[in-house]
Amino acid sequence: MKKSRLLLLASALATVFAAAHANAAEGVVASVKPVHSLVAAVMQGIGEPQLLVKGAGSPHTYTMRPSEAGTLEEAKVVFWVGPGLETFLEKPLESLAGDAMTVELSEVPGLTLLEPREGGAFEAHAHDEDDDHEEHAAEEDHHEEHGEMHDEEGEEHEDHAHEEADMHLWLDPENARAMVRRIADALSQADPDNKTAYEENVAALDARFDTLIAETNEKLAAVRGKPFVVFHDAYQYFERRFDIPATGSITVNPDVQPGARRIGEIHDKIAELDAACVFSEPQFEPKVVQVVAEGTGARSGVLDPLGADIEDGPELYFTLIDNMTTALADCLSGGE
């Protein structure tokens, strides 16, 4: 009987401890799936963050639901990339989450920041021989190393003209590493009782980033230099980190459907360059990709910078980078 009571007491204490542990990590919100994944990885074993833009939703076109407004009102910590990506969040963060700690990850120290490219970046990508893509900086010469073809229609560049940096910065795993450290700092400030656990998770993630970078470089080694075209210019952080530049993009701004003249130019350029692949994205209508590739001999593939079809959670980020790597390697090698 005494043993039974002791077991019940132990179980009750464990329940109370678990509840206290979970409550300490409640109210953590992340904007998009890659950010949510990095936050979830730092919080693993402590709690789970809430995600705003779910499934195949795109931050470029997202409209917040009432339930998500309620999530922001109750938030204690909110992680987002910044207004250059999640435009829909800028005003709600002020009006609904005014008391929360808001962490804008595009302002994290130590990031590599690259300027948005214009006009689809279809001209040759000229790299200086001593160019070190490991360098962490936001200098203007990052942009000047790339030739440009300005869009004569001008429509796709409108929403990017005011931005200081391309906001798809998580696609460089070194940026993700820096983001993870800032995430842990913010969580430790909001939840100091779990600071040691957050730091241990960051140490484990550091090792995983090292492995991810090495494996990605190895998988892409055989297809570097083969020309390919992407749907929108979201991948230059990945391109720079792994030295596999896209020949160009169909559109700079995915909110704007390219016009007939633009599509014709891209079709001709794909044929002229003998591009091996044209990649669509699951968040946007793939029909335009089929049109520009028709009759060119280019194979089609899918690149997903957000992880639309990947299960949410701490593994999503690593799966996302691996899926992109596999898609590039398979399409550019012709499935060999």
Side-chain angles (χ1 to χ4, degrees):
M1 189 72 174
K2 187 180 289 187
K3 185 177 180 180
S4 177
R5 287 179 180 176
L6 287 172
L7 288 172
L8 287 172
L9 179 61
S11 177
L13 287 172
T15 301
V16 170
F17 178 78
H21 203 57
N23 289 337
E26 281 182 355
V28 179
V29 178
S31 58
V32 293
K33 295 183 75 167
V35 170
H36 177 268
S37 179
L38 296 175
V39 176
V42 176
M43 294 180 67
Q44 198 158 21
I46 303 158
E48 296 181 5
Q50 298 181 75
L51 173 64
L52 291 179
V53 184
K54 301 176 179 67
S58 168
H60 297 289
T61 57
Y62 200 72
T63 301
M64 188 177 295
R65 300 185 179 98
S67 61
E68 292 156 351
T71 297
L72 278 184
E73 285 183 316
E74 297 174 2
K76 295 176 183 176
V77 186
V78 180
F79 295 98
W80 68 320
V81 177
L85 184 78
E86 308 99 322
T87 308
F88 76 94
L89 257 185
E90 193 168 7
K91 290 182 179 178
L93 282 177
E94 295 177 2
S95 60
L96 300 175
D99 295 332
M101 179 193 302
T102 301
V103 181
E104 188 173 328
L105 293 171
S106 60
E107 296 184 343
V108 170
L111 293 176
T112 296
L113 294 179
L114 303 174
E115 293 183 10
R117 295 183 295 205
E118 300 175 2
F122 261 103
E123 298 304 324
H125 290 239
H127 295 271
D128 294 335
E129 289 183 2
D130 61 350
D131 177 37
D132 180 6
H133 68 272
E134 298 291 326
E135 182 178 50
H136 287 235
E139 299 171 349
E140 291 185 359
D141 60 358
H142 281 168
H143 183 54
E144 292 170 357
E145 288 170 358
H146 293 263
E148 299 173 350
M149 182 187 77
H150 291 272
D151 181 11
E152 292 181 13
E153 294 176 279
E155 59 186 5
E156 286 103 13
H157 183 54
E158 289 177 3
D159 288 351
H160 286 258
H162 67 284
E163 296 302 336
E164 296 178 358
D166 181 337
M167 290 287 103
H168 301 87
L169 48 89
W170 64 87
L171 293 179
D172 179 348
E174 290 292 356
N175 279 350
R177 192 197 302 268
M179 291 162 68
V180 156
R181 291 170 181 158
R182 177 66 183 99
I183 289 165
D185 287 344
L187 290 173
S188 296
Q189 183 180 340
D191 176 25
D193 290 344
N194 285 310
K195 180 177 180 180
T196 299
Y198 295 133
E199 290 175 347
E200 289 173 351
N201 284 341
V202 169
L205 286 167
D206 261 338
R208 293 198 67 185
F209 286 129
D210 289 341
T211 301
L212 179 68
I213 291 168
E215 290 180 348
T216 302
N217 271 314
E218 183 179 349
K219 291 176 182 177
L220 294 176
V223 295
R224 285 194 175 99
K226 294 190 176 183
F228 65 96
V229 172
V230 296
F231 175 70
H232 90 288
D233 194 17
Y235 304 94
Q236 63 170 325
Y237 288 101
F238 185 93
E239 295 170 32
R240 278 298 200 86
R241 179 58 53 195
F242 300 110
D243 191 24
I244 186 164
T247 305
S249 63
I250 293 172
T251 179
V252 176
N253 180 359
D255 298 345
V256 180
Q257 183 80 0
R261 180 174 179 176
R262 173 74 172 167
I263 289 175
E265 288 175 346
I266 296 164
H267 180 277
D268 293 345
K269 200 70 177 181
I270 290 170
E272 176 189 334
L273 295 168
D274 195 23
C277 295
V278 181
F279 290 95
S280 61
E281 294 179 20
Q283 292 87 1
F284 302 104
E285 174 57 53
K287 186 175 180 180
V288 66
V289 174
Q290 298 167 6
V291 171
V292 297
E294 186 176 358
T296 66
R299 294 180 291 277
S300 62
V302 178
L303 290 178
D304 179 10
L306 288 166
D309 299 324
I310 306 172
E311 182 179 357
D312 302 339
E315 291 300 314
L316 177 142
Y317 180 80
F318 296 92
T319 303
L320 182 155
I321 297 297
D322 188 60
N323 285 357
M324 283 179 50
T325 304
T326 300
L328 282 162
D330 285 353
C331 189
L332 293 174
S333 66
E336 297 172 4

